[in-house]
Each structure stands twice: as structure tokens, then as C-alpha cells.
């Protein structure tokens, strides 16, 4: 997976996550809001029923109760009351299980069909009955002394209430063992919790039920803009996250992982004197990456310097150099001179680790006559504050030498030379490359070499690739020589084999 596709996957994950969380939160809100809405609407229905039935009872007590024992007096008033009320279809009086007075059947006696009437007020449902011509009638029964007063209530008041603008939930009435639905149908049923949430009412059992479809409709109609905002917001966050991830320097994390797995190794490039004696090596970092193979330092050193990982890389190089060279200290001592040059960046100078690691190297190779050199590049400005200068002074007190690397490429060297005594000057490869190219370029190289000579510091020329360059540099009094012409940077074991063991063996054969 490439870096970009990993980042895109992370961004996509974030977008999905925000949407899921956002939709869940809004859905919770929809759930609460719809339940509240359904509850309030159901309560309104309940109040309406109470109002209708309550006013019927009040009318009875005010206008009819006094005539209940005299049908002839009762009927005209009852008919008037029945006509005046849109809900009351009939009023019937019964006693001793006998109907003796009715606005429909007048004073004809009939058997009263309802049993177990509770004292007080109750609402009963009659699917079909001789009390009323039409079926589906509700009876509001009021017991007054021994008389049962029956108000035939038209079912339309209930079905009207049930169907009035109740798109988001299903209200249900449970009356007298019957379940009355929104469409007016009734069905004998026993009371169970499946009917939904109950609302308390004196006359009926009122329920409201909310289905998934109701939640969807309610959410889409009332909260659509919330879903839209979440979607837009998630894409906005995704875009910000993408830019943020793209700006992160992932190499720094990779370097940290590489350090943990000790993937940074030293490569040593030999350095020679003018008689072609090997007189030391420059230690160059290599990153042996398990996926990308060997990575050149130019790719990771700037990141390592910025993040401070350069201190740890230096430490790992030192450890490996000690480990590799320690068994060959006697071989090293046979060399005319031996310089071990490490590259350091200026932030390392004020870091305590550098001095500690240098001491560790000197102590680790204590039976070896060698000179530790730190190459400080002038390609970037070397800060000349107290902290950096003190850092260098402390290193020099330990006998460590300082080389000004890439000499001639920067601008700070001359002022720098005033403050610190530099031990070596390294002429950059870019100048070596100019040798023999054009006359005027030769002049530039000659100028740099002249300047180095006048400063009076030994000169190391790097990047020598052919004999012409070597001869030119010899003529211009360079002191040390480094380049592919003599040897490329190699792993430490290879360096030992090529430059320490083989020459020693060759020498022992000749003697
Ligand atoms: P540098 O200090 O100027 O090192 C010399 C570079 O030139 C090395 O590249 C070396 O392999 C290359 N070189 C030497 N002779 C020849 C030659 O004849 N022909 C050609 N074409 N190249 C030659 P390398 O190893 O890739 O290092 C590049 C730079 O990375 C170094 O430049 C140095 O500034 C930096 N570097 C390497 N290791 C470290 C380290 O451990 N710490 C720090 N701070 N910087 C390092
Ligand atoms: Ca160098
Ligand atoms: Ca250089």
C-alpha cells in the first residue's frame, strides 16, 4: 500500500466514522422527539375523549337524571339532548336487566344485553345490538341508583380522532376487549404490551405504537438537514484530515522504527595520503530498509536532523564501528596513521549525546592509535553562538579533531575559522568534478585549493574518480585523497577485509 492510498483509507475511515456517529446521534434525537410527539398527540386524543364523554355525563346529570324513573318525561328531553350532541346517537334507560325507555325503541320493554356493568361510569363496545340499529357502537354507561343510563356514542368520534394527522405513529384504542384501529376496524383482542405505549385514561385504554417506517418518515421530514449537515461536515473533516496527514513528515516515524530495529549501519570509505597509504575512513550512514533496500543518507539525514533522530543514528553508528573494529585494533595500529571521520550536523554540537558517544568510541577502541574526526558541513550555516562554540571546545579538549566539510560550497567558513581552530578542510566533490572540465572551472578549483593552503590547514579532497583529478590535486598540494578512484564506501566487514586484513597479509608475505 502506498503512502497516499494509506492516507486516503484513513480519511475514508474518518468520514464513515463521523457519519456513523452523527447519524446515530441524530437517530437518537429522532427517537426521543418522535416518542415525545406521539406521547403529546396521544394525550391530546385522550383529553379530547375525556372532554366529550365528560360533557355527556355532565349533561346527563344536569338535564336528564331527574326524569330517569319516568320514561314519558325522560324521552322528549333525551331526544333533544341526543339531537344537540353530535356524538350521542341514542339514550337508553335499563333496570333489572330490562330496557324500559329508549330514544330509539321508546318505552318498549327489551332484555338488556350487557352484563357485569361496573358501578359509576364505564365505556363498552357493542359490535351489534338491539339497543342500536347500527353496529360498531360504543356505550357510555352511567349507573344512577339502580338505573343504567346508556349513551350510544357513534364510533366515528374515535375513528376521527385516531386518523387525524397521525402520520408518524399509530394510535390504538382498546375498549371492552376490542382493539379499534385508525381505519375504524375493530378486532377482539386481549390487552398486551405489543399494543405500544399506554396513555392513562378513565374510559379507554389508549396506546401509541411507533414503527421503523414512522421513525424513517419523521427523521427524513424533520431532520433531513441534520443528516445533510453531518455528511457535509464529515467531508470537510476528511479534507482537513487529508491535508493534515499529507503535511506530516512520515519519514520521521519510519526513522524511529528503523532505529528501534537497528537498521542504520555504517559504511566506511577509505582515505589515502599522497603516497597511497590508507590513512583512515569516513563513516557514512546507510539505512538498510527491509522493504526499500539500502537507502542513501541524502534521503533521510535532513529529516533525522530536523527531528533530532540524528543523535541516535550517530550513537548506533558508533556502537557498530566499535564492535566491528575492536578485534582489529592491532591491524589499525600497523597503519601509518588512522583517522575515523564521522559526519555531524550542527544541532548535534550542543547536544550532550555527541560528547558522550565520542568518549564511548575513544574508550571502546582504547588500544588503537587513531584520531577521531568530526566532519562539520558548511553547506548549511553553522550557528556561532556560545552553545555551539562551547560544544566544539569540549570536543576538542577530548582530542577530537574538527574538519570543515564541503569546504568552498558555503559562506560561513571564513568567519567560522576565526572562532574555532579547524583541523582539516574537506574540498567538496563538486570542485573535484570541475577538474579538467573547462579552463575557467579549473581556476575556481585552484582558487579554493589556494585558499585552503593559505589557511594552513591539511586538506582532504573528496570525490576523486580518475587519475587526472588525483594528479591535479597532488600538484596543488592536497594532503588526503578520497573517492571511488580508490574505493567506494563499503560495509564494515568488507572495509576490514579490503583495507586492514589483505594489506597486512600482503605485507607479511613480502617480509
Ligand atoms: P559528504 O560528507 O560530502 O560525503 C561524501 C559523499 O560523496 C558520500 O555520499 C560518498 O559516498 C560520496 N562519494 C565519495 N567519493 C565519491 C566519488 O568518487 N564519486 C561519487 N559519485 N561520490 C563519492 P553519501 O554516503 O551518499 O553521503 C551523502 C551525504 O550524507 C554526505 O556527504 C554527508 O553530508 C551525509 N551523511 C552521510 N552519513 C552521515 C551521517 O552519519 N551523519 C550526518 N550528519 N550526515 C551524513
Ligand atoms: Ca563528509
Ligand atoms: Ca561533500
Amino acid at each position: 500500500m502506498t503512502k497516499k492510498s494509506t492516507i486516503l483509507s484513513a480519511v475514508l475511515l474518518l468520514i464513515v466514522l463521523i457519519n456513523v456517529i452523527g447519524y446515530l446521534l441524530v437517530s437518537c434525537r429522532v427517537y426521543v422527539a418522535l416518542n415525545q410527539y406521539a406521547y403529546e398527540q396521544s394525550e391530546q386524543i385522550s383529553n379530547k375523549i375525556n372532554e366529550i364523554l365528560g360533557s355527556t355525563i355532565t349533561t346527563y346529570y344536569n338535564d336528564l337524571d331527574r326524569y330517569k324513573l319516568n320514561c314519558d318525561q325522560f324521552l322528549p328531553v333525551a331526544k333533544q339532548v341526543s339531537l344537540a350532541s353530535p356524538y350521542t346517537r341514542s339514550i337508553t334507560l335499563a333496570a333489572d336487566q330490562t330496557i324500559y325507555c329508549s330514544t330509539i325503541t321508546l318505552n318498549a320493554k327489551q332484555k338488556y344485553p350487557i352484563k357485569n356493568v361496573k358501578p359509576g361510569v364505564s365505556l363498552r363496545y357493542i359490535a351489534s345490538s338491539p339497543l342500536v340499529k347500527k353496529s360498531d357502537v360504543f356505550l357510555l354507561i352511567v349507573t344512577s341508583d339502580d338505573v343504567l343510563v346508556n349513551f350510544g356514542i357513534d364510533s366515528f368520534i374515535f375513528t376521527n380522532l385516531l386518523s387525524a394527522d397521525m402520520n408518524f405513529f399509530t394510535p390504538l384504542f382498546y375498549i371492552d376487549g376490542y382493539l379499534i384501529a385508525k381505519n375504524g376496524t375493530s378486532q377482539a383482542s386481549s390487552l398486551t404490551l405489543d399494543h405500544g405505549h399506554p396513555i392513562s385514561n378513565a374510559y379507554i385504554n389508549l396506546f401509541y405504537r411507533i414503527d421503523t417506517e414512522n421513525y424513517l418518515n419523521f427523521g427524513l421530514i424533520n431532520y433531513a438537514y441534520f443528516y445533510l449537515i453531518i455528511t457535509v461536515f464529515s467531508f470537510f473533516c476528511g479534507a482537513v484530515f487529508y491535508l493534515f496527514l499529507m503535511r506530516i513528515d512520515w519519514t520521521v516515524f519510519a526513522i524511529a522504527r528503523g532505529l528501534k530495529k537497528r537498521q542504520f549501519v555504517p559504511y566506511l570509505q577509505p582515505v589515502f595520503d599522497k603516497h597511497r597509504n590508507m590513512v583512515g575512513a569516513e563513516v557514512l550512514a546507510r539505512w538498510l530498509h527491509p522493504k526499500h533496500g539500502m537507502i542513501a543518507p541524502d534521503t533521510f539525514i535532513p529529516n533525522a536532523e530536523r527531528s533530532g533522530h540524528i543523535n541516535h543514528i550517530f550513537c548506533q553508528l558508533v556502537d557498530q564501528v566499535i564492535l566491528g573494529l575492536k578485534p582489529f585494533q592491532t591491524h589499525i595500529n600497523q597503519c601509518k596513521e588512522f583517522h575515523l571521520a564521522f559526519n555531524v550536523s550542527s544541532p548535534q554540537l550542543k547536544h550532550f549525546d555527541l560528547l558522550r558517544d565520542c568518549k564511548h568510541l575513544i574508550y571502546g577502541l582504547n588500544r588503537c592509535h587513531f584520531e577521531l574526526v568530526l566532519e562539520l558541513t558548511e553547506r548549511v550555516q553553522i550557528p556561532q553562538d556560545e552553545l555551539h562554540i562551547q560544544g566544539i571546545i569540549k570536543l576538542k579538549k577530548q582530542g577530537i579533531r574538527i574538519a570543515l566539510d564541503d569546504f568552498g560550497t558555503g559562506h560561513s567558513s571564513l568567519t567560522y575559522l576565526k572562532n574555532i581552530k579547524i583541523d582539516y578542510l574537506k574540498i567538496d566533490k563538486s570542485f573535484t568534478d570541475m577538474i579538467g572540465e573547462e579552463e575557467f572551472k579549473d581556476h575556481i578549483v585552484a582558487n579554493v585549493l589556494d585558499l585552503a593552503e593559505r589557511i594552513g590547514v591539511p586538506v582532504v579532497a573528496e570525490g576523486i574518480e580518475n587519475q587526472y583529478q588525483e594528479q591535479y590535486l597532488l600538484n596543488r598540494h592536497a594532503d588526503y585523497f578520497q573517492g571511488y578512484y580508490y574505493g567506494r564506501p563499503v560495509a564494515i566487514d568488507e572495509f576490514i577485509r579490503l583495507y586492514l586484513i589483505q594489506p597486512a597479509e600482503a605485507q607479511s608475505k613480502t617480509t
Side-chain angles (χ1 to χ4, degrees):
M1 236 185 173
T2 62
K3 182 186 139 199
K4 199 161 182 184
S5 60
T6 315
I7 288 176
L8 282 175
S9 311
V11 168
L12 204 71
L13 197 74
L14 179 81
I15 292 175
V16 171
L17 209 72
I18 292 177
N19 275 299
V20 169
I21 294 173
Y23 279 37
L24 267 174
L25 288 175
V26 177
S27 300
C28 286
R29 178 80 200 112
V30 167
Y31 177 84
V32 172
L34 180 52
N35 271 280
Q36 192 172 346
Y37 171 81
Y39 180 81
E40 282 168 4
Q41 293 292 313
S42 304
E43 270 214 327
Q44 275 183 26
I45 298 172
S46 170
N47 291 342
K48 189 86 188 149
I49 291 167
N50 287 348
E51 207 179 285
I52 292 167
L53 300 183
S55 75
T56 307
I57 295 161
T58 311
T59 310
Y60 167 74
Y61 281 114
N62 287 347
D63 303 337
L64 290 169
D65 190 50
R66 55 181 171 265
Y67 306 121
K68 70 183 175 218
L69 297 176
N70 186 333
C71 189
D72 292 337
Q73 284 178 339
F74 180 81
L75 278 178
V77 189
K79 275 181 182 168
Q80 256 181 3
V81 167
S82 176
L83 276 173
S85 159
Y87 315 113
T88 310
R89 295 185 60 217
S90 66
I91 305 170
T92 303
L93 298 174
D96 299 328
Q97 288 300 306
T98 307
I99 297 168
Y100 63 90
C101 187
S102 166
T103 53
I104 295 167
T105 55
L106 306 177
N107 50 11
K109 293 223 176 353
Q110 285 181 64
K111 194 170 161 23
Y112 186 63
I114 301 167
K115 294 199 173 71
N116 304 325
V117 176
K118 277 187 261 155
V121 180
S122 57
L123 189 70
R124 306 287 297 257
Y125 176 72
I126 315 283
S128 64
S129 151
L131 285 175
V132 285
K133 282 183 187 150
K134 225 179 105 196
S135 61
D136 281 339
V137 159
F138 297 91
L139 275 188
L140 176 69
I141 306 173
V142 181
T143 58
S144 176
D145 301 327
D146 291 334
V147 177
L148 300 174
V149 189
N150 304 272
F151 292 86
I153 308 286
D154 204 313
S155 69
F156 86 86
I157 73 152
F158 295 111
T159 49
N160 267 5
L161 283 173
L162 285 173
S163 56
D165 195 26
M166 302 302 165
N167 290 324
F168 301 127
F169 67 98
T170 313
L172 295 164
F173 292 147
Y174 186 81
I175 304 169
D176 208 11
Y178 282 87
L179 204 59
I180 319 295
K182 198 168 162 172
N183 58 7
T185 56
S186 58
Q187 170 195 346
S189 160
S190 55
L191 194 60
T192 69
L193 274 178
D194 290 348
H195 296 136
H197 308 269
I199 299 279
S200 60
N201 183 290
Y203 307 108
I204 59 166
N205 286 303
L206 172 62
F207 295 89
Y208 65 90
R209 202 179 62 212
I210 307 170
D211 300 323
T212 318
E213 203 186 317
N214 297 131
Y215 283 118
L216 281 175
N217 286 340
F218 189 77
L220 280 175
I221 290 171
N222 297 297
Y223 288 83
Y225 56 95
F226 272 101
Y227 290 117
L228 193 73
I229 288 170
I230 288 164
T231 311
V232 172
F233 177 71
S234 72
F235 277 94
F236 172 74
C237 289
V240 172
F241 192 47
Y242 176 79
L243 292 177
F244 169 73
L245 290 180
M246 286 304 273
R247 284 191 60 154
I248 288 181
D249 192 351
W250 294 101
T251 326
V252 172
F253 294 103
I255 292 173
R257 221 175 311 129
L259 277 166
K260 231 184 197 170
K261 298 189 172 166
R262 302 190 79 81
Q263 290 166 353
F264 295 93
V265 296
Y267 264 49
L268 270 58
Q269 187 176 27
V271 177
F272 295 82
D273 68 6
K274 55 187 166 204
H275 306 294
R276 289 263 185 113
N277 295 309
M278 195 279 291
V279 289
E282 178 178 2
V283 180
L284 295 155
R286 296 287 180 269
W287 184 356
L288 298 184
H289 198 279
K291 244 198 228 156
H292 308 300
M294 190 162 78
I295 302 175
D298 290 335
T299 331
F300 62 87
I301 291 287
N303 286 320
E305 282 176 352
R306 246 179 282 130
S307 60
H309 287 321
I310 193 73
N311 296 302
H312 303 116
I313 293 178
F314 185 84
C315 179
Q316 286 195 3
L317 298 184
V318 163
D319 281 348
Q320 291 174 73
V321 167
I322 297 172
L323 217 66
L325 295 182
K326 204 177 173 77
F328 300 93
Q329 294 188 80
T330 46
H331 287 74
I332 291 172
N333 290 342
Q334 281 165 18
C335 299
K336 200 169 152 249
E337 47 186 302
F338 196 80
H339 312 263
L340 254 183
F342 284 79
N343 292 284
V344 290
S345 54
S346 45
Q348 282 179 271
L349 292 175
K350 51 179 186 170
H351 212 283
F352 174 74
D353 285 2
L354 182 63
L355 185 63
R356 184 202 60 196
D357 293 337
C358 289
K359 281 184 182 172
H360 179 51
L361 182 82
I362 295 164
Y363 181 76
L365 300 175
N366 58 351
R367 288 196 290 115
C368 167
H369 308 301
F370 79 104
E371 194 173 70
L372 175 55
V373 184
L374 297 182
E375 295 187 5
L376 198 55
T377 181
E378 73 154 21
R379 224 179 261 283
V380 289
Q381 184 99 32
I382 307 165
Q384 301 195 30
D385 54 60
E386 198 54 23
L387 221 58
H388 285 84
I389 292 172
Q390 281 308 316
I392 294 178
I393 290 171
K394 276 186 199 158
L395 290 162
K396 286 182 77 79
K397 271 191 189 153
Q398 296 297 320
I400 297 159
R401 309 283 183 210
I402 304 293
L404 196 58
D405 206 356
D406 307 316
F407 179 68
T409 58
H411 42 269
S412 60
S413 57
L414 292 177
T415 41
Y416 200 69
L417 286 164
K418 274 196 290 180
N419 294 327
I420 292 293
K421 192 188 163 320
I422 294 294
D423 301 289
Y424 298 100
L425 288 178
K426 277 195 93 168
I427 307 290
D428 189 52
K429 181 182 174 296
S430 55
F431 294 109
T432 312
D433 287 344
M434 290 179 191
I435 299 170
E437 273 205 339
E438 287 168 46
E439 206 185 330
F440 99 96
K441 283 191 177 171
D442 268 3
H443 289 321
I444 298 174
V445 187
N447 272 341
V448 175
L449 287 163
D450 280 350
L451 179 62
E453 202 178 359
R454 264 182 276 133
I455 292 166
V457 173
V459 168
V460 186
E462 72 171 15
I464 302 160
E465 290 184 340
N466 54 55
Q467 205 210 336
Y468 184 83
Q469 290 170 337
E470 182 192 51
Q471 198 51 55
Y472 182 96
L473 291 159
L474 276 169
N475 294 343
R476 297 271 167 182
H477 314 296
D479 301 275
Y480 298 101
F481 302 80
Q482 180 185 352
Y484 289 179
Y485 183 54
Y486 310 97
R488 287 173 179 256
V490 287
I492 200 153
D493 292 346
E494 184 70 350
F495 178 85
I496 292 164
R497 192 178 65 79
L498 288 174
Y499 304 107
L500 295 178
I501 298 175
Q502 276 182 6
E505 282 174 355
Q507 205 177 6
S508 68
K509 271 183 203 159
T510 54
T511 50

